[in-house]
Structure formats: structure tokens, C-alpha cells
Amino acid sequence: MTRRTPRTLGVVNQKGGVGKTTTAVNLAAYLAADGQRVLLIDMDPQGNATSGLGAREAETGLYEALGEPARAAEYTRPSAQEGLDVLPATPDLAGAGVELADDPDALTRLLASIQGYDMIIVDAPPSLGPLTVNVLAAVDALVIPLQAEYYALEGLAGLMGTVERVQGGLNPRLKVLGIVLTMFDGRTNLAQEVETMVRGHFGELVFWAVVPRNVRLSEAPSFSKPINLFAPLSSGAAAYKRLADEVMQRVEKI
């Protein structure tokens, strides 16, 4: 049965190139494949989630929906995965950061108006600007992709500090659902050391699912398909299936 109020998750990391959009798209796809009705909101002006789900040609999308929350359903597009829709990023979204700088509740109003979904996943930009602040202010919980390298650890500390400030003001209910290690190469000592450090510091907050470096994950967006439809037997597909299972277990507790 569809919830009256969808659970909302933000996929956030201010550092680019860590598998953030790959995680948002494939997590959403596996949740939908598991029977959830899912909406993926592309809050990143780069629009990679939009193109990865085949909605690149959309002329309207999130920018218009932010201005007219009651009409959000008109701007959504279906994806190749049954049960998964996308609210696309369009070129106009690039200027929204200026408009939203003084309006951190714009996404909150939009999410409050959306019905008919069990889960809403928001792919945030790779920054801590106004668009990402809107995401932090609006969602119930965060999934944080973390590349297994030392610079990513430094960025995580900054992100956690921002989350704490948001919890103290804009969104007291905000939780970190979990941290997922991405682009993981278990053959290297570095990756293993980073995993040990992250699990040692954050404990159960770190998902057991680990996303490997996988060529199929890189290829899937060019076919406008999530990994479960493009290469369901790949190691990347198996990892995101495990992540989706863990996410569902944790979401039920928030």
C-alpha cells in the first residue's frame, strides 16, 4: 500500500566523482524493482540522473515544479524501470541556486505536495550551495556515497559538520541513514585501509554493501538504463541490490 506521505532520502556528497548519481539512480531502480513506487528528483544542474534515466529531452522539470508544487505531477517523466519516475533537471535549474539562496524551504514545499509514491530519492549537486541546503532541509534522511580514498574522508568531515548545523536549525528530524563505500577496489591496500578507518569511526552507520569499480556501472547511463536493466548479473548490480535491501531495512526504523 502506498504511504500517504512518501519517505524522502537525499543522496549527498559535496565532492564530485564519488558515484553519487550512480548511487541515486541505481538505488531508486532497485527500490522500484522491489515493489516500491519511487520518484527520483534530479536536483543537480548537470542533469546526469536525468540523462541516465532517459529524460534528457524534457523541456520542463524540477525548476518549474519548485515554482508550482501543486503541478509537480505534470513535470515528471517515466523511466525504463517500472515503478520509477524522474523529475528531471533542465538547463533552467542552473540558475535556481541564486533564487533558492534566500528560500531554503522550496524543496520542502514541493515534497509536501507530492503524493502517490512510497519513496522519493533526491540527487543533490556535488556542492554545499543553496540547492544542497534545500535538500538537507527537506528530506528525512541521507545516503552518503564515499569513495574509498583519503581526500574523500576529509570531505566527509565537512559534510557531517553541515548536517549537524542543519539538524540544529532547518531540519531537526534529519538523519544520516548510512554511508556507502563506492568505487571500491579491494585489490589495493588503500581501499582496505580507508574501509577499516570508516567502519572504525562510524561503525554501524556504514552500509555492509560496498560498490566496486565496475565497467558496467559506467556504461549503463549511455543506454539510459539503471544497472538492473542493463547488466543485472554484474558485480555492480549485485552491490546495489544489497544496498537497496539495507536501505529498506533502515528506512522502516526512521
Side-chain angles (χ1 to χ4, degrees):
M1 180 179 296
T2 301
R3 297 178 186 276
R4 288 178 176 269
T5 302
R7 296 291 179 89
T8 55
L9 301 179
V11 182
V12 176
N13 194 313
Q14 80 274 25
K15 188 177 185 299
V18 300
K20 175 183 60 62
T21 296
T22 298
T23 296
V25 166
N26 292 302
L27 172 59
Y30 269 109
L31 290 172
D34 195 39
Q36 300 292 304
R37 181 73 176 155
V38 183
L39 175 65
L40 175 59
I41 296 179
D42 190 353
M43 198 82 173
D44 185 349
Q46 296 178 82
N48 291 333
T50 296
S51 59
L53 288 175
R56 170 57 78 186
E57 301 305 317
E59 296 182 358
T60 57
L62 177 57
Y63 181 79
E64 288 76 16
L66 287 168
E68 302 177 283
R71 299 179 60 189
E74 298 178 28
Y75 303 117
T76 63
R77 301 290 184 273
S79 75
Q81 170 61 54
E82 183 179 358
L84 173 59
D85 294 335
V86 58
L87 187 50
T90 57
D92 288 336
L93 188 61
V98 176
E99 299 174 26
L100 298 182
D102 297 321
D103 188 8
D105 296 323
L107 183 62
T108 301
R109 294 193 298 272
L110 174 60
L111 294 184
S113 73
I114 294 174
Q115 299 295 323
Y117 294 96
D118 301 298
M119 301 278 290
I120 299 176
I121 309 291
V122 186
D123 183 28
S127 70
L128 290 178
L131 292 172
T132 299
V133 170
N134 255 262
V135 176
L136 298 177
V139 300
D140 299 319
L142 303 176
V143 173
I144 302 175
L146 179 70
Q147 186 178 0
E149 50 128 63
Y150 285 120
Y151 286 137
L153 283 174
E154 294 178 0
L156 180 60
L159 176 58
M160 288 300 197
T162 300
V163 169
E164 289 178 4
R165 290 191 291 274
V166 171
Q167 289 169 327
L170 288 173
N171 186 359
R173 76 181 188 284
L174 179 65
K175 301 185 185 312
V176 176
L177 193 70
I179 299 165
V180 55
L181 289 163
T182 60
M183 306 172 75
F184 188 87
D185 186 348
R187 299 169 300 179
T188 68
N189 291 334
L190 174 60
Q192 295 175 26
E193 290 171 4
V194 170
E195 180 178 18
T196 298
M197 290 174 62
V198 173
R199 293 194 187 279
H201 186 74
F202 292 101
E204 294 183 356
L205 202 58
V206 185
F207 290 107
W208 286 111
V210 173
V211 180
R213 287 191 177 276
N214 181 245
V215 173
R216 293 300 193 186
L217 285 173
S218 301
E219 293 174 339
S222 64
F223 291 86
S224 299
K225 291 181 178 181
I227 193 64
N228 64 311
L229 298 182
F230 177 68
L233 300 181
S234 64
S235 60
Y240 277 114
K241 175 64 170 70
R242 288 193 295 270
L243 177 64
D245 290 344
E246 285 191 74
V247 165
M248 281 305 303
Q249 291 171 10
R250 297 190 185 194
V251 161
E252 293 300 326
K253 299 177 182 179
I254 63 174

